Amino acid sequence: MLWTGRMRLGTFGILLVLVHASAACEFGPIPYSVTGIVCRMTKSGALLLNQETARVIQAAFRNARFPNITGERSMRLLGKVAYWLTNIQVNGLSIEQSEVELKENDAIHIAIKNVTAFFKGTLTYGYAGAWLLQLFHSVDFEIESSIDLQINIKLMCQKDQVAADASDCYLAFHKLTLHLQGDKEPGWLKQLFTDFISFTLKLVLKSQVCNEINFVAQMLADFVHDLAANFVQDEDISIDISLASAPLIKANYLESHHKGLVLYKNYSDAFSDSVFSPSLLTESRMLYFWLSEHILNSLALAMFLDKRLVLTIRGEKLQALFEMEDTEVQRKAVQMIFQGTSYNDSVAKVWSLAHPQISLQPEGTVVKSLVAVEVSILPAGEEPLMVLYMEKEITVTIQAAYAEKKLILHPLDSRIEFKVFKCTADPSGNDLSIRNFLQTMISVAAIPEVTSRIELALTSLMNSKGLHLFEIRNPEIITRKGYVIVQLDFSFPNHLLLDFLEKGL
């Protein structure tokens, strides 16, 4: 018995074993010490994703490349009977039930029951009988099968990222019937082929379907990694999501631990004192993300180095800031600062003078930054004239939430300390009315305005990465000393996986 043809997937299985052996990941002696990001999916999340298993299995069956099958058998009186099965492909597939179970420290066990699959192709058969009598004939065939499928998917580290090994795969056949030319009750010769071809068919189907499932599982692992890597990258700033320790499988959740180092041009990040512990996360929601305070500080530094912490305000926005309240003090201060110039002929520039410091506390995210503000008027035909310059240290506590596919940042108490203050209307700096007005304006209007700009920018960035495609339910952003936890329930966007499978296969 012999089969030939395209053996891409069988070869892939051998190569996968060799790659796993040669690309084992090495981790430090202290668990979680370099962990900056943790992703935990609980069993309820895994059960939801299991609803998409049918798509994966259908893709595996559809894209499996079944080799041509040849064989022969000696028969009394008939001599040698030979056969060739060619052009084998899936003609139809349905799945009745799929179940998933997390086996602690072992694998993700998926049991798929009552897979009804129809295969079609061409059967050429014949025999070289006694007295040099030969007879060969070709017919179309259809194989009707009923299969139970069991897959144990192990998660491991390969090239510093999560890899899926689904080579532990079993097919159990409840039914395997060969129909020739649509004849449901073949004659004795056709029945003869059915009997001794069935064993070969089972071996080929098991091998090729399981190899393809293993191939698709690894593709999906790479797809999820690439999706995550793209999500945490924007132009020259990115986050290293390579594994910090081996993936974890518990009875109620899956968990992966990532380094979370910020990458930016020549900037080199380092992190070795993570406070993460699995006990910090619960199991009541579908999905959890744990992020270290270090990541947010490093991102703030990268944004500062990339000169992104700059804001220009003019026109109606500028007017709204300086006319937040209609009082005599406000009108006097505005007249002194702008010297009667229209807001449309004025501009305010706000930028960070140093790397903002971020501290995560139970009450929220505390941001401390040294900020400069410059207000200039633009006389017609003349060079811009700076009428106000100040440097101030601002400390503000922000609470974050996510609702209706938008990030919401709510500033709480703030503290402002002037470091430098220059105003052309008050060269001596003795008129405290302008400074007091500006302090009130910054607290009441400027900080919310800047926060609103950041909200819009981050929401736009996350949506550009595809976050809006997911149905996120009841998300919570919880800050604790040194870390933040994002926990949520979700619905998987079906078309995302379908598009990937169609393109990738």
Side-chain angles (χ1 to χ4, degrees):
M1 179 173 57
L2 169 68
W3 58 78
T4 61
R6 186 178 178 185
M7 301 301 291
R8 170 186 65 128
L9 297 175
T11 305
F12 170 80
I14 297 173
L15 291 176
L16 187 63
V17 173
L18 295 176
V19 169
H20 286 167
S22 63
C25 304
E26 296 182 1
F27 303 112
I30 304 176
Y32 316 124
S33 62
V34 295
T35 297
I37 300 175
V38 177
C39 177
R40 172 180 289 188
M41 178 179 289
T42 61
K43 189 170 183 178
S44 58
L47 290 172
L48 177 67
L49 287 184
N50 185 56
Q51 297 175 9
E52 299 301 312
T53 300
R55 295 179 183 271
V56 177
I57 299 305
Q58 287 169 345
F61 271 84
R62 186 176 65 247
N63 289 280
R65 299 295 184 262
F66 300 101
N68 297 335
I69 300 173
T70 65
E72 63 179 24
R73 185 173 180 178
S74 296
M75 302 296 295
R76 185 178 299 177
L77 300 178
L78 295 177
K80 289 185 178 180
V81 178
Y83 60 88
W84 300 264
L85 276 76
T86 58
N87 303 320
I88 304 174
Q89 55 188 293
V90 176
N91 193 35
L93 181 73
S94 64
I95 296 175
E96 182 175 305
Q97 185 180 0
S98 177
E99 300 174 351
V100 64
E101 179 184 0
L102 304 181
K103 294 185 175 180
E104 186 156 346
N105 300 322
D106 184 16
I108 305 167
H109 177 71
I110 299 176
I112 301 169
K113 299 180 180 180
N114 294 331
V115 179
T116 301
F118 293 87
F119 303 86
K120 66 178 181 179
T122 302
L123 168 66
T124 301
Y125 63 90
Y127 62 91
W131 309 290
L132 301 179
L133 178 62
Q134 293 186 343
L135 176 65
F136 293 94
H137 188 53
S138 292
V139 296
D140 293 332
F141 70 82
E142 182 182 67
I143 302 167
E144 181 182 357
S145 66
S146 179
I147 307 168
D148 282 352
L149 179 62
Q150 293 188 17
I151 312 166
N152 292 308
I153 303 176
K154 294 183 181 295
L155 300 181
M156 60 190 67
C157 180
Q158 176 186 321
K159 296 181 180 179
D160 291 328
Q161 71 182 61
V162 176
D165 179 5
S167 57
D168 189 0
C169 168
Y170 302 92
L171 269 69
F173 289 86
H174 300 301
K175 178 181 181 181
L176 186 66
T177 306
L178 177 66
H179 302 303
L180 302 181
Q181 291 183 326
D183 187 354
K184 304 302 181 182
E185 296 181 0
W188 70 270
L189 184 59
K190 295 178 183 180
Q191 187 62 54
L192 172 68
F193 286 119
T194 300
D195 291 341
F196 66 77
I197 287 175
S198 293
F199 178 73
T200 305
L201 277 173
K202 288 181 180 180
L203 290 179
V204 171
L205 296 180
K206 284 182 179 180
S207 173
Q208 298 307 104
V209 170
C210 284
N211 281 339
E212 186 67 28
I213 289 173
N214 194 19
F215 178 68
V216 172
Q218 183 58 62
M219 283 185 65
L220 285 172
D222 291 340
F223 169 68
V224 171
H225 177 272
D226 293 344
L227 195 68
N230 177 63
F231 190 83
V232 293
Q233 179 174 3
D234 182 52
E235 297 181 2
D236 291 332
I237 301 176
S238 62
I239 297 178
D240 177 9
I241 59 171
S242 58
L243 287 176
S245 58
L248 203 60
I249 300 179
K250 294 293 186 180
N252 294 320
Y253 64 84
L254 311 169
E255 192 169 274
S256 59
H257 315 100
H258 307 266
K259 294 177 181 177
L261 299 177
V262 172
L263 307 175
Y264 173 72
K265 294 184 178 179
N266 296 327
Y267 168 68
S268 179
D269 198 7
F271 183 52
S272 60
D273 56 352
S274 175
V275 298
F276 175 74
S277 168
S279 62
L280 297 177
L281 302 178
T282 65
E283 301 169 14
S284 60
R285 308 297 295 276
M286 289 183 178
L287 192 61
Y288 294 81
F289 294 101
W290 182 95
L291 291 90
S292 168
E293 175 183 283
H294 176 84
I295 292 178
L296 300 183
N297 262 313
S298 297
L299 280 173
L301 175 57
M303 294 176 69
F304 171 74
L305 295 175
D306 203 41
K307 297 181 172 29
R308 297 194 186 191
L309 304 181
V310 179
L311 178 63
T312 300
I313 306 173
R314 61 178 76 231
E316 293 181 358
K317 290 289 186 181
L318 188 60
Q319 181 178 1
L321 288 177
F322 279 90
E323 295 185 0
M324 59 175 182
E325 56 182 16
D326 187 14
T327 65
E328 183 63 30
V329 173
Q330 175 264 325
R331 289 191 291 271
K332 179 182 176 182
V334 169
Q335 178 63 32
M336 292 178 66
I337 294 171
F338 290 93
Q339 303 173 18
T341 303
S342 166
Y343 290 110
N344 291 327
D345 296 324
S346 307
V347 61
K349 179 182 176 183
V350 184
W351 71 97
S352 184
L353 291 168
H355 163 212
Q357 299 295 317
I358 296 177
S359 173
L360 295 172
Q361 302 294 336
E363 58 269 22
T365 302
V366 181
V367 182
K368 184 177 181 179
S369 182
L370 183 61
V371 176
V373 177
E374 180 181 281
V375 177
S376 300
I377 59 176
L378 311 171
E382 299 181 22
E383 292 294 320
L385 176 63
M386 185 182 71
V387 295
L388 176 68
Y389 176 82
M390 53 184 171
E391 296 177 5
K392 54 194 181 299
E393 187 176 82
I394 298 178
T395 303
V396 59
T397 301
I398 299 174
Q399 288 186 344
Y402 186 83
E404 298 180 353
K405 301 185 183 296
K406 295 179 182 179
L407 179 66
I408 300 170
L409 300 178
H410 179 59
L412 300 177
D413 63 306
S414 60
R415 297 186 299 276
I416 302 169
E417 181 182 350
F418 285 95
K419 299 293 185 180
V420 176
F421 185 85
K422 298 177 182 179
C423 181
T424 56
D426 180 26
S428 65
N430 295 325
D431 189 345
L432 295 181
S433 63
I434 296 179
R435 189 176 304 195
N436 291 338
F437 163 73
L438 290 172
Q439 182 150 346
T440 303
M441 183 267 289
I442 291 168
S443 299
V444 176
I447 291 177
E449 171 65 19
V450 172
T451 303
S452 176
R453 297 284 188 97
I454 295 174
E455 277 181 357
L456 293 174
L458 290 179
T459 298
S460 177
L461 176 61
M462 291 188 296
N463 287 343
S464 72
K465 304 296 184 179
L467 184 63
H468 64 292
L469 300 176
F470 292 80
E471 290 300 325
I472 297 175
R473 301 193 298 275
N474 304 319
E476 293 181 85
I477 301 175
I478 303 170
T479 54
R480 294 289 183 263
K481 185 173 178 56
Y483 63 89
V484 60
I485 296 172
V486 180
Q487 55 188 37
L488 54 94
D489 297 321
F490 68 96
S491 295
F492 193 82
N494 296 340
H495 62 85
L496 188 65
L497 180 59
L498 184 60
D499 290 348
F500 161 71
L501 291 172
E502 289 179 347
K503 293 177 182 177
L505 298 174

